[in-house]
Amino acid sequence: MGRHVSAPAIEALPDGLANLADFEAPAKARVTEAAWAYLNGGAADELTLRANREAWDAIRLQPRVLRDLAGGHTRVTLIGRELRHPILLAPIAYQRLFHADGELAIAHAAAAQEAGLVLSAQASVDMEAVAAPMLTDAAAGPLWFQLYWRDDRDFMRALLKRIAAAGYQALVLTVDAPVHGARDRERRIGFKLPDDIRAVNLGGVKKPLDLQPGQSALFDGLMPRAATWREIDWLRSESKLPLLLKGVTHADDAREALARGVSGFIVTNHGGRALDTLPATAELLPPLRAALGPDVPLLVDGGIRRGTDVLKAMALGANAVLLGRPYVHALAASGALGVAHALRLLRDELEIAMALSGCKTLADAGPALLWPGTSSFAPR
């Protein structure tokens, strides 16, 4: 087992925190240059990393006025459960790189702000410790566990049993990163994990590559171990938990997944960290929604920074959004209290955006909310 922390530290918030971007400067001052490069860098030329943010900015809203908004709310239903709001924390690895309390802090913050949490398989705190505050607070959002496939079915079977026993309510399999992207920022600075930080929930030893002369370490060594549709079928047979796929971008793959019993999707380009030059997630979302119809759960991440971004995502067809790097900035800046404050800021901005757009509920956020012509990928 890994490191247990009994309770997160309570720290003072830095001054002047009016929005999520304000956490970046105090966060950068408290982490190493290598950790900052690991968190904020993207793949190759970082075109997709920048595109995620630029896409949300490019969409304009078309508000309605003089509507009766009394009794409005941000509640949504996701995989059979009503949530107080549509904001979840995305899976991000090794959070003790950024704060001593790591993933325990974000669990307490998510529970306090009624947000959902998707725990990374590469978390640096035990999954049971992270689950405790989320399961104790009845108002907390959903608690899901993100998986990377490991080519060891005995190991995976034991991990699935542990996940279920710890109280996690769904599985999220990442399918868009069977290998690391070419992350130049990390390579330039020589990033490596400190000795005291590791993926504590992933015990065991990976099989060494068995390569013959002239073989490719990637295509002959790593890719034969990567997940295929066979592994999707196996996961469905081994676990009763709903299974979502994170990283599907093609409608044909999404349809195949649905036919095999997958419950939903997280629309993502891995935060621009895997394959560069992918479209922004705001571009990827509408075609998938159009192809899959209104009832398939779709969540989206990538570049979410403002309440208006959340509202735009819902108008483009998302059921919920995942917040990524900004909450880790808040974690680095001031621990659990920082993350809770960041979530509160985003929730408040969402309510303001809804009120000023004439949306009583998020069901009112449809294509008509988006100004025609400001986004070539908006649904029509």
Side-chain angles (χ1 to χ4, degrees):
M1 295 297 178
R3 175 181 182 270
H4 286 278
V5 183
S6 57
I10 302 299
E11 304 175 32
L13 290 171
D15 294 332
L17 298 175
N19 59 55
L20 298 189
D22 290 336
F23 286 95
E24 288 194 39
K28 189 173 184 179
R30 297 187 66 173
V31 304
T32 66
E33 289 186 22
W36 191 255
Y38 171 76
L39 175 63
N40 293 287
D45 297 311
E46 300 187 346
L47 299 174
T48 296
L49 174 65
R50 292 192 295 275
N52 278 344
R53 180 65 242 147
E54 292 165 356
W56 298 118
D57 285 342
I59 302 170
R60 300 289 185 261
L61 295 171
Q62 181 173 228
R64 300 296 301 273
V65 298
L66 299 175
R67 291 186 165 186
D68 181 2
L69 303 184
H73 61 78
T74 60
R75 294 191 295 274
V76 296
T77 299
L78 183 64
I79 309 188
R81 177 176 173 180
E82 185 177 87
L83 313 185
R84 304 292 180 91
H85 60 82
I87 303 168
L88 293 81
L89 298 182
I92 294 180
Y94 306 121
Q95 292 185 26
R96 287 188 56 234
L97 278 170
F98 311 104
H99 191 279
D101 291 337
E103 292 84 358
L104 184 73
I106 69 162
H108 279 272
Q113 291 298 328
E114 304 172 327
L117 170 61
V118 186
L119 183 68
S120 171
Q122 296 173 323
S124 51
V125 175
D126 289 341
M127 70 171 75
E128 292 83 2
V130 175
M134 293 291 292
L135 299 177
T136 300
D137 193 330
L143 177 65
W144 299 347
F145 194 96
Q146 177 262 340
L147 294 168
Y148 285 102
W149 179 257
R150 182 180 288 187
D151 189 26
D152 181 337
R153 297 201 174 190
D154 290 338
F155 168 83
M156 292 297 294
R157 188 176 289 111
L159 180 62
L160 292 175
K161 290 179 179 177
R162 184 180 170 193
I163 291 166
Y168 290 79
Q169 298 142 10
L171 304 173
V172 176
L173 179 68
T174 293
V175 297
D176 64 339
V179 296
H180 287 305
R183 301 175 193 164
D184 292 352
R185 277 205 233 183
E186 289 180 37
R187 296 191 292 186
R188 289 191 189 104
I189 206 165
F191 173 79
K192 65 178 182 178
L193 283 174
D195 292 340
D196 64 335
I197 296 177
R198 61 187 180 87
V200 298
N201 297 300
L202 300 180
V205 178
K206 291 184 179 180
K207 303 173 186 176
L209 298 182
D210 184 16
L211 297 173
Q212 302 301 314
Q215 286 189 315
S216 162
L218 196 157
F219 287 109
D220 299 308
L222 294 175
M223 294 312 296
R225 302 180 180 186
T228 67
W229 292 114
R230 293 188 300 272
E231 283 66 47
I232 302 302
D233 295 339
W234 185 87
L235 285 170
R236 294 292 302 119
S237 69
E238 288 290 329
S239 176
K240 296 180 180 180
L241 295 177
L243 174 64
L244 295 90
L245 300 188
K246 180 176 182 288
V248 171
T249 60
H250 198 290
D252 288 348
D253 290 335
R255 293 188 190 97
E256 177 76 12
L258 285 180
R260 293 172 181 266
V262 167
S263 298
F265 304 91
I266 295 177
V267 181
T268 183
N269 49 39
H270 216 87
R273 292 168 60 81
L275 178 63
D276 199 19
T277 73
L278 281 179
T281 51
E283 296 178 85
L284 293 169
L285 175 60
L288 284 172
R289 174 56 74 202
L292 298 177
D295 299 326
V296 176
L298 294 181
L299 297 84
V300 67
D301 68 10
I304 300 290
R305 298 292 184 274
R306 287 284 192 177
T308 45
D309 300 336
V310 181
L311 188 60
K312 292 170 187 178
M314 305 299 284
L316 290 172
N319 298 100
V321 306
L322 294 101
L323 185 64
R325 292 176 176 96
Y327 85 76
V328 183
H329 297 155
L331 172 68
S334 49
L337 185 59
V339 179
H341 188 56
L343 283 167
R344 185 72 256 177
L345 287 171
L346 193 60
R347 290 181 65 182
D348 288 347
E349 286 189 4
L350 173 59
E351 290 190 0
I352 292 168
M354 290 172 64
L356 293 176
S357 298
C359 294
K360 186 172 183 176
T361 74
L362 289 168
D364 298 328
L369 183 63
L370 306 177
W371 184 258
T374 62
S375 172
S376 61
F377 45 86
R380 291 174 171 83

